[in-house]
Amino acid sequence: MKNKLTIILIIAFSFICLNAQSLELNKSPILVEIQNLTMEDGLPSTTVERGLQDSRGFMWFPTKYGLVYYDGKEFATLTKVKGNLRSNHPFYIAEDSEGRIWVRHSLGTDELDLVDIKTHKVTPAEDSFPSIKNIEGIPAHVFADSKKAIYLTTDKGYLYKLDNSGEFLLLFKSEYVNTILMNRFFRV
Protein backbone atom coordinates (compact mmCIF):
# COMPACT_ATOMS: atom_id res chain seq x y z
CA MET A 1 0.00 0.00 0.00
CA LYS A 2 2.86 2.36 0.89
CA ASN A 3 4.57 1.68 -2.49
CA LYS A 4 1.34 2.38 -4.39
CA LEU A 5 0.88 5.67 -2.57
CA THR A 6 4.48 6.65 -3.33
CA ILE A 7 4.00 5.91 -7.04
CA ILE A 8 0.75 7.92 -7.15
CA LEU A 9 2.46 10.87 -5.44
CA ILE A 10 5.40 10.73 -7.87
CA ILE A 11 3.04 10.70 -10.86
CA ALA A 12 0.99 13.58 -9.44
CA PHE A 13 4.14 15.59 -8.72
CA SER A 14 5.40 14.94 -12.27
CA PHE A 15 2.16 16.28 -13.76
CA ILE A 16 2.32 19.35 -11.54
CA CYS A 17 5.93 20.02 -12.60
CA LEU A 18 5.09 19.52 -16.27
CA ASN A 19 2.10 21.80 -15.98
CA ALA A 20 4.17 24.48 -14.18
CA GLN A 21 6.91 24.20 -16.80
CA SER A 22 4.31 24.53 -19.56
CA LEU A 23 2.89 27.67 -17.96
CA GLU A 24 6.35 29.23 -17.85
CA LEU A 25 7.22 28.33 -21.46
CA ASN A 26 3.89 28.63 -23.24
CA LYS A 27 1.75 30.56 -20.78
CA SER A 28 -0.90 27.83 -21.24
CA PRO A 29 -1.51 24.51 -19.43
CA ILE A 30 -1.02 21.09 -20.97
CA LEU A 31 -4.38 19.51 -21.69
CA VAL A 32 -4.70 15.75 -22.02
CA GLU A 33 -7.78 14.19 -23.54
CA ILE A 34 -8.54 10.62 -22.57
CA GLN A 35 -10.89 8.62 -24.74
CA ASN A 36 -12.09 5.04 -24.24
CA LEU A 37 -12.37 3.12 -27.50
CA THR A 38 -14.35 -0.10 -27.68
CA MET A 39 -15.59 -2.65 -30.18
CA GLU A 40 -18.57 -0.36 -30.78
CA ASP A 41 -16.08 2.19 -32.15
CA GLY A 42 -14.60 -0.41 -34.52
CA LEU A 43 -11.86 -2.01 -32.41
CA PRO A 44 -11.88 -5.73 -33.38
CA SER A 45 -11.00 -7.05 -29.92
CA THR A 46 -11.71 -6.16 -26.30
CA THR A 47 -8.09 -7.02 -25.45
CA VAL A 48 -5.21 -4.80 -26.52
CA GLU A 49 -1.93 -5.38 -24.70
CA ARG A 50 0.36 -3.10 -26.68
CA GLY A 51 0.21 0.04 -28.74
CA LEU A 52 2.46 2.26 -30.78
CA GLN A 53 2.10 5.85 -31.90
CA ASP A 54 3.86 6.20 -35.24
CA SER A 55 5.92 9.19 -36.37
CA ARG A 56 2.82 10.76 -37.95
CA GLY A 57 0.85 10.52 -34.69
CA PHE A 58 -1.40 7.61 -35.65
CA MET A 59 -1.91 4.59 -33.39
CA TRP A 60 -1.21 0.90 -34.11
CA PHE A 61 -2.39 -2.03 -31.96
CA PRO A 62 -1.55 -5.71 -32.35
CA THR A 63 -4.64 -7.78 -31.45
CA LYS A 64 -5.58 -11.42 -31.77
CA TYR A 65 -7.68 -10.45 -34.80
CA GLY A 66 -5.05 -8.51 -36.75
CA LEU A 67 -3.01 -5.33 -36.73
CA VAL A 68 -5.23 -2.35 -36.00
CA TYR A 69 -4.57 1.18 -37.26
CA TYR A 70 -6.37 4.15 -35.73
CA ASP A 71 -6.26 7.60 -37.37
CA GLY A 72 -8.12 9.39 -34.59
CA LYS A 73 -11.53 8.89 -36.21
CA GLU A 74 -11.83 5.29 -37.36
CA PHE A 75 -10.13 1.92 -37.20
CA ALA A 76 -8.69 -0.16 -40.05
CA THR A 77 -7.53 -3.74 -39.48
CA LEU A 78 -4.85 -5.55 -41.45
CA THR A 79 -5.19 -9.35 -41.51
CA LYS A 80 -4.04 -12.30 -43.65
CA VAL A 81 -6.94 -11.76 -46.05
CA LYS A 82 -7.23 -7.98 -45.85
CA GLY A 83 -3.67 -6.71 -45.89
CA ASN A 84 -1.47 -9.77 -46.57
CA LEU A 85 -0.13 -10.18 -43.04
CA ARG A 86 1.30 -13.67 -42.57
CA SER A 87 -0.71 -14.14 -39.38
CA ASN A 88 -3.89 -12.71 -37.87
CA HIS A 89 -2.15 -12.52 -34.51
CA PRO A 90 0.61 -9.90 -34.51
CA PHE A 91 2.40 -9.79 -31.19
CA TYR A 92 5.16 -7.14 -31.03
CA ILE A 93 5.42 -4.01 -33.16
CA ALA A 94 8.05 -1.29 -33.61
CA GLU A 95 8.53 1.59 -36.04
CA ASP A 96 11.87 2.08 -37.80
CA SER A 97 13.42 5.31 -39.07
CA GLU A 98 12.08 4.65 -42.60
CA GLY A 99 8.41 4.73 -41.54
CA ARG A 100 7.82 0.98 -41.46
CA ILE A 101 6.08 -0.91 -38.70
CA TRP A 102 7.93 -4.14 -37.92
CA VAL A 103 5.41 -6.82 -36.97
CA ARG A 104 6.53 -9.87 -34.99
CA HIS A 105 3.76 -12.44 -35.17
CA SER A 106 2.73 -14.85 -32.41
CA LEU A 107 5.51 -16.70 -30.65
CA GLY A 108 6.72 -19.99 -32.06
CA THR A 109 7.08 -18.74 -35.63
CA ASP A 110 9.83 -16.80 -37.34
CA GLU A 111 7.46 -14.50 -39.22
CA LEU A 112 8.27 -10.79 -39.41
CA ASP A 113 6.35 -8.42 -41.66
CA LEU A 114 6.94 -4.78 -42.55
CA VAL A 115 4.02 -2.37 -42.94
CA ASP A 116 4.51 0.99 -44.67
CA ILE A 117 2.81 3.54 -42.38
CA LYS A 118 1.59 5.65 -45.32
CA THR A 119 0.32 3.00 -47.74
CA HIS A 120 -0.30 0.10 -45.29
CA LYS A 121 1.41 -2.19 -47.81
CA VAL A 122 2.70 -5.34 -46.11
CA THR A 123 5.89 -7.15 -47.16
CA PRO A 124 7.83 -9.99 -45.51
CA ALA A 125 10.88 -8.58 -43.66
CA GLU A 126 13.25 -11.01 -45.38
CA ASP A 127 12.31 -9.53 -48.78
CA SER A 128 13.79 -6.18 -47.71
CA PHE A 129 16.44 -7.56 -45.35
CA PRO A 130 17.78 -10.94 -46.59
CA SER A 131 20.39 -10.95 -43.79
CA ILE A 132 17.60 -11.74 -41.35
CA LYS A 133 17.95 -15.36 -42.51
CA ASN A 134 21.47 -15.38 -40.99
CA ILE A 135 20.46 -14.62 -37.41
CA GLU A 136 20.85 -17.40 -34.87
CA GLY A 137 17.50 -18.69 -33.63
CA ILE A 138 13.89 -17.60 -34.08
CA PRO A 139 13.12 -13.90 -33.57
CA ALA A 140 11.36 -13.57 -30.23
CA HIS A 141 10.95 -9.82 -29.90
CA VAL A 142 11.33 -6.73 -32.08
CA PHE A 143 11.73 -3.25 -30.64
CA ALA A 144 13.16 0.16 -31.52
CA ASP A 145 15.21 2.66 -29.56
CA SER A 146 14.57 6.41 -29.38
CA LYS A 147 16.33 6.89 -32.75
CA LYS A 148 14.10 4.18 -34.27
CA ALA A 149 16.94 1.69 -34.74
CA ILE A 150 15.53 -1.85 -34.90
CA TYR A 151 16.61 -4.62 -32.50
CA LEU A 152 15.72 -8.32 -32.48
CA THR A 153 16.10 -10.84 -29.70
CA THR A 154 15.96 -14.55 -30.46
CA ASP A 155 14.89 -17.68 -28.66
CA LYS A 156 18.61 -18.54 -28.30
CA GLY A 157 19.29 -15.48 -26.12
CA TYR A 158 20.89 -13.36 -28.85
CA LEU A 159 20.41 -9.63 -29.43
CA TYR A 160 20.80 -8.17 -32.93
CA LYS A 161 20.69 -4.61 -34.24
CA LEU A 162 19.83 -3.66 -37.81
CA ASP A 163 22.65 -1.46 -39.11
CA ASN A 164 22.49 1.26 -41.78
CA SER A 165 23.53 -1.17 -44.52
CA GLY A 166 20.62 -3.52 -43.80
CA GLU A 167 22.66 -6.16 -41.98
CA PHE A 168 21.79 -7.60 -38.59
CA LEU A 169 24.78 -7.25 -36.26
CA LEU A 170 25.13 -9.48 -33.21
CA LEU A 171 25.37 -7.29 -30.09
CA PHE A 172 24.91 -9.81 -27.30
CA LYS A 173 24.97 -13.59 -27.00
CA SER A 174 24.19 -15.83 -24.07
CA GLU A 175 22.83 -19.36 -24.00
CA TYR A 176 22.06 -18.88 -20.30
CA VAL A 177 19.69 -15.95 -20.54
CA ASN A 178 15.98 -16.67 -20.43
CA THR A 179 14.40 -15.06 -23.54
CA ILE A 180 11.52 -13.60 -21.55
CA LEU A 181 13.91 -11.89 -19.14
CA MET A 182 16.07 -10.71 -22.02
CA ASN A 183 13.07 -9.15 -23.77
CA ARG A 184 12.18 -7.22 -20.61
CA PHE A 185 15.81 -6.20 -19.91
CA PHE A 186 16.56 -4.76 -23.35
CA ARG A 187 13.55 -2.47 -23.63
CA VAL A 188 14.91 0.86 -24.84
Side-chain angles (χ1 to χ4, degrees):
M1 182 67 178
K2 187 176 181 181
N3 288 340
K4 287 182 183 180
L5 181 59
T6 303
I7 291 171
I8 290 170
L9 290 174
I10 290 171
I11 291 170
F13 181 73
S14 298
F15 278 115
I16 291 167
C17 289
L18 283 173
N19 225 359
Q21 190 176 29
S22 173
L23 286 170
E24 288 176 19
L25 297 176
N26 301 331
K27 304 292 184 211
S28 62
I30 297 173
L31 299 176
V32 177
E33 182 180 333
I34 298 173
Q35 182 179 9
N36 276 336
L37 300 168
T38 66
M39 291 178 71
E40 292 174 2
D41 299 304
L43 193 62
S45 174
T46 57
T47 305
V48 175
E49 295 181 20
R50 294 171 186 82
L52 168 81
Q53 185 173 16
D54 71 24
S55 55
R56 298 179 317 148
F58 301 122
M59 299 299 297
W60 296 83
F61 306 102
T63 72
K64 63 182 179 178
Y65 299 112
L67 181 63
V68 177
Y69 165 79
Y70 183 65
D71 65 4
K73 295 178 185 161
E74 60 186 20
F75 290 98
T77 304
L78 300 174
T79 64
K80 285 175 78 169
V81 173
K82 184 182 172 190
N84 294 324
L85 284 178
R86 289 191 275 180
S87 163
N88 284 336
H89 192 189
F91 205 68
Y92 293 112
I93 57 175
E95 182 184 2
D96 68 15
S97 60
E98 300 296 318
R100 294 175 293 228
I101 302 292
W102 286 68
V103 180
R104 168 68 178 93
H105 293 283
S106 54
L107 297 174
T109 68
D110 60 354
E111 297 168 331
L112 283 163
D113 284 326
L114 301 176
V115 180
D116 183 289
I117 63 171
K118 293 178 184 168
T119 65
H120 297 184
K121 181 181 177 195
V122 178
T123 57
E126 61 270 12
D127 288 359
S128 299
F129 301 97
S131 69
I132 203 166
K133 295 176 185 172
N134 300 330
I135 67 171
E136 185 73 28
I138 297 171
H141 188 88
V142 60
F143 59 96
D145 64 16
S146 61
K147 295 179 183 176
K148 299 198 183 273
I150 292 295
Y151 295 84
L152 292 176
T153 62
T154 72
D155 64 338
K156 303 270 187 194
Y158 294 13
L159 173 67
Y160 291 89
K161 179 181 180 183
L162 182 64
D163 72 6
N164 293 334
S165 67
E167 298 293 319
F168 282 91
L169 302 175
L170 179 63
L171 298 180
F172 181 78
K173 170 180 161 180
S174 174
E175 290 94 32
Y176 305 107
V177 175
N178 180 311
T179 304
I180 294 170
L181 293 176
M182 188 173 175
N183 288 336
R184 301 262 187 257
F185 180 73
F186 285 111
R187 299 256 170 136
V188 179

